[in-house]
Amino acid sequence: MKSNNLKKVSISFHSIVSTKLKKKQINEICLLKDKEWKFGIKSQMNWFDRNIKRDDIHNLLYINTKLIGYTLLRKRFCKFNNIAKKKIYLLFDTLVIDKKFRKNNYSTLLMNFNNKIIKKKGFFSFLICKKKLVNFYIKNGWKKLNKNKIKIIDYKFTTFGMIFNNNKIYKKYFFNLNK
């Protein structure tokens, strides 16, 4: 009898608010992020402590028990030119897939999961990306915004803005990324 050397692969997704994250998960997130943005684990942990708020949403992609993908949806506020009241939105902050697992369509799987979470929460989501990523986000259901219709109060905006789950068209968006 021949032995089968194929390993069973289990893919799982988890969506967790900051207050429910375990220390082990925060460490895994920071380790994964540091593989892409090499600032050191201590720097990643400090950034996490300073910038992550209680209601931010962390979407995790696991293969078996290994974290291989991560996205961050940060609950923030924006204003529209024609509406005085602030509106909650989800700032799509991070998308990272472990380099060993790229070219396997995991980023699209994670984006589909994110889109479901965004719709389930009932907010729209906004992201900023470089030109080379615009088509990836469009393929995943996001729409490119006209730069003239976006004003980001606390960030120098020189890249591209994308939006998801926004059925209403507003004349101008005023985003505050840090609040």
Side-chain angles (χ1 to χ4, degrees):
M1 225 178 182
K2 291 183 179 179
S3 68
N4 190 349
N5 289 336
L6 295 176
K7 291 182 179 179
K8 187 174 180 178
V9 175
S10 171
I11 298 173
S12 62
F13 296 91
H14 303 271
S15 187
I16 307 168
V17 293
S18 299
T19 56
K20 302 284 184 183
L21 280 174
K22 295 179 172 84
K23 283 188 177 193
K24 180 184 179 221
Q25 291 168 314
I26 295 170
N27 193 48
E28 289 174 332
I29 290 166
C30 291
L31 285 168
L32 179 61
K33 286 181 65 184
D34 198 58
K35 288 179 182 180
E36 182 68 23
W37 301 286
K38 299 179 185 319
F39 296 110
I41 299 303
K42 187 175 181 180
S43 176
Q44 296 287 356
M45 295 294 266
N46 286 337
W47 185 92
F48 195 94
D49 289 340
R50 282 191 320 271
N51 294 288
I52 300 301
K53 297 195 182 338
R54 297 174 52 83
D55 293 330
D56 290 345
I57 301 164
H58 307 266
N59 292 329
L60 311 170
L61 168 57
Y62 287 91
I63 298 245
N64 299 327
T65 59
K66 180 177 177 54
L67 179 67
I68 65 125
Y70 172 73
T71 55
L72 171 61
L73 300 173
R74 300 169 75 185
K75 205 174 198 182
R76 299 297 182 262
F77 296 94
C78 69
K79 283 182 71 172
F80 299 105
N81 234 9
N82 54 347
I83 299 173
K85 187 178 165 186
K86 287 182 181 180
K87 185 171 175 129
I88 296 172
Y89 76 99
L90 296 172
L91 174 62
F92 188 103
D93 187 305
T94 303
L95 169 61
V96 63
I97 300 289
D98 188 309
K99 289 178 183 178
K100 294 176 189 171
F101 294 89
R102 292 185 185 162
K103 308 259 184 213
N104 291 310
N105 212 29
Y106 291 122
S107 57
T108 297
L109 292 174
L110 188 52
M111 284 304 297
N112 288 334
F113 181 72
N114 281 298
N115 291 351
K116 287 178 187 174
I117 297 298
I118 293 164
K119 286 179 180 179
K120 182 179 174 183
K121 296 292 180 185
F123 303 123
F124 73 91
S125 188
F126 171 77
L127 66 81
I128 298 170
C129 68
K130 294 178 181 173
K131 185 177 183 175
K132 67 181 182 179
L133 293 172
V134 169
N135 285 335
F136 168 77
Y137 289 112
I138 289 172
K139 286 178 190 173
N140 285 285
W142 290 67
K143 294 178 184 163
K144 188 171 133 185
L145 292 172
N146 182 330
K147 282 187 183 184
N148 297 330
K149 295 192 179 224
I150 305 168
K151 181 176 180 186
I152 300 177
I153 297 164
D154 54 356
Y155 182 81
K156 186 178 178 189
F157 184 65
T158 58
T159 52
F160 293 86
M162 309 282 295
I163 198 162
F164 179 79
N165 200 35
N166 185 25
N167 296 329
K168 297 176 184 175
I169 304 297
Y170 295 98
K171 289 184 179 179
K172 194 160 190 164
Y173 299 88
F174 291 90
F175 291 96
N176 189 331
L177 303 182
N178 290 320
K179 293 197 175 174

